[in-house]
Amino acid sequence: MKAMVLAAGLGIRLRPLTESVPKPLLPLGPYPLLVWNLLLLRRHGIENVMINLHYLGGQIRQTLGDGSQWHMSLSYSDEPVLLGTGGGIKRVEEFFEGSSFLVLNGDTIADLDVSQLVACHRKKEALATMAIRDDPDVEHWGVIETDADDRVLRIHGKGRAAQDDDVTPSRRMFAGVHVLDPFMLRHVPQGAFSSIIDAYVWWLERGAMVGGYVFPGYWSDVGTPERYAQVQRDVEAGILNVPE
C-alpha cells in the first residue's frame, strides 16, 4: 500500500514559529513532526509515500530528500496554488496505481495502529475508512456520527438522511488519518481547490459504505503554540514515545 502525507498548509496559527520553518518540520524530540508520521508508516510496512508541498516546501524537500535516510521512497507534489485536501490528493491519483491508499496529515501526531486501520477497511469492504476517536471537545473538531457498527452516517451534520429506526448515533472526531479507495476521488474536481470531506459527504448522501475505525491512543493536531508545547512535554514525560 502507498500513502500520502499532506504537508502543504501555511501553519498560520503557529506563527511566529512557522514564519521561517514549515509546520511539518517543527522539531519534536529528535525528529521533525513530519518524520514522526513517516516512521509510523514505515513501522507498518508502508514505505512508498507522496508528500504535497506549498509553503516553504523547498525546506521539506531538502530535509527529507528521497527518503533513503529513513529507508523509504518519497515523492513530492508541488502545489503553486493550494488545492486543499481533496484537490491535493486528486492531483496525484495516478501515484496510487488504482489501489487503496492511506492519507494522513503531516502536522498531527497519532499513536495509531495503521495495520489495524487497513485491516478494518478491507474487512468492511468500505469505500473509505476514517480513523475516529472520542474526545470531550468533539464539537470543536467537528462531529462524525456513526452507528452501532461504527459505520459513518454523517460528517458535520451532512451525509445520510436520518432513518426512523436509527438509534442515537455515536459522536466522535476525525483524527486526520484514513484509507481511501481510488473510486472515492471520482467526483473530486481536477486542478481545483476542494476538501476531501466534500467527497465524503457526496458519497454518504448516496449510501456508500464509509467505515469508522475507533482508536483510543494518543492524538494531537499540534495546531497552536499551546498544543505544540503540550506535545513536547508529553514526549519529555514519556507519555508519547519517540518512534523507532
Side-chain angles (χ1 to χ4, degrees):
M1 176 175 284
K2 294 183 178 181
M4 181 172 188
V5 179
L6 303 175
L10 302 177
I12 293 174
R13 292 182 299 158
L14 271 167
R15 290 178 179 173
L17 296 176
T18 53
E19 287 180 350
S20 58
V21 177
K23 181 179 175 182
L25 289 188
L26 289 176
L28 181 61
Y31 305 117
L33 292 173
L34 198 153
V35 172
W36 282 66
N37 285 299
L38 292 180
L39 295 180
L40 173 67
L41 293 173
R42 191 188 69 184
R43 187 187 310 153
H44 291 275
I46 300 174
E47 300 176 349
N48 201 341
V49 181
M50 173 67 69
I51 303 172
N52 69 332
L53 305 175
H54 175 72
Y55 177 67
L56 300 178
Q59 288 191 30
I60 297 175
R61 185 191 293 268
Q62 183 176 11
T63 299
L64 302 182
D66 63 2
S68 57
Q69 62 181 314
W70 314 112
H71 306 288
M72 303 181 76
S73 176
L74 303 182
S75 304
Y76 299 94
S77 172
D78 293 290
E79 296 180 17
V81 177
L82 280 173
L83 295 174
T85 53
I89 299 169
K90 179 71 172 183
R91 189 171 191 262
V92 298
E93 65 178 325
E94 291 185 0
F95 172 76
F96 306 114
E97 300 179 316
S99 299
S100 295
F101 57 95
L102 188 135
V103 176
L104 71 165
N105 296 331
D107 53 8
T108 60
I109 297 295
D111 183 11
L112 168 69
D113 190 330
V114 172
S115 297
Q116 286 297 318
L117 169 62
V118 173
C120 175
H121 175 77
R122 290 172 173 164
K123 181 179 180 180
K124 293 184 176 182
E125 299 182 341
L127 180 66
T129 301
M130 310 173 79
I132 56 177
R133 59 188 296 275
D134 295 306
D135 193 289
D137 202 16
V138 65
E139 295 287 348
H140 170 77
W141 302 111
V143 177
I144 307 296
E145 297 178 62
T146 57
D147 66 13
D149 296 319
D150 295 327
R151 175 173 178 166
V152 176
L153 304 175
R154 287 173 289 277
I155 300 175
H156 306 166
K158 300 177 181 179
R160 199 191 79 172
Q163 307 295 314
D164 292 338
D165 58 349
D166 277 351
V167 297
T168 302
S170 298
R171 295 162 61 83
R172 297 185 170 101
M173 62 158 288
F174 176 40
V177 185
H178 42 154
V179 181
L180 306 176
D181 185 280
F183 204 65
M184 182 80 174
L185 304 177
R186 182 176 182 182
H187 299 286
V188 176
Q190 183 71 256
F193 184 94
S194 70
S195 169
I196 194 63
I197 296 301
D198 296 335
Y200 271 106
V201 170
W202 192 94
W203 285 109
L204 287 172
E205 289 176 341
R206 288 154 181 81
M209 172 59 191
V210 174
Y213 171 72
V214 184
F215 78 101
Y218 187 98
W219 178 89
S220 177
D221 80 329
V222 199
T224 64
E226 295 76 17
R227 293 183 67 84
Y228 177 41
Q230 183 61 59
V231 174
Q232 290 176 312
R233 289 193 293 269
D234 291 343
V235 172
E236 294 170 359
I239 298 171
L240 176 61
N241 294 320
V242 176
E244 299 177 358

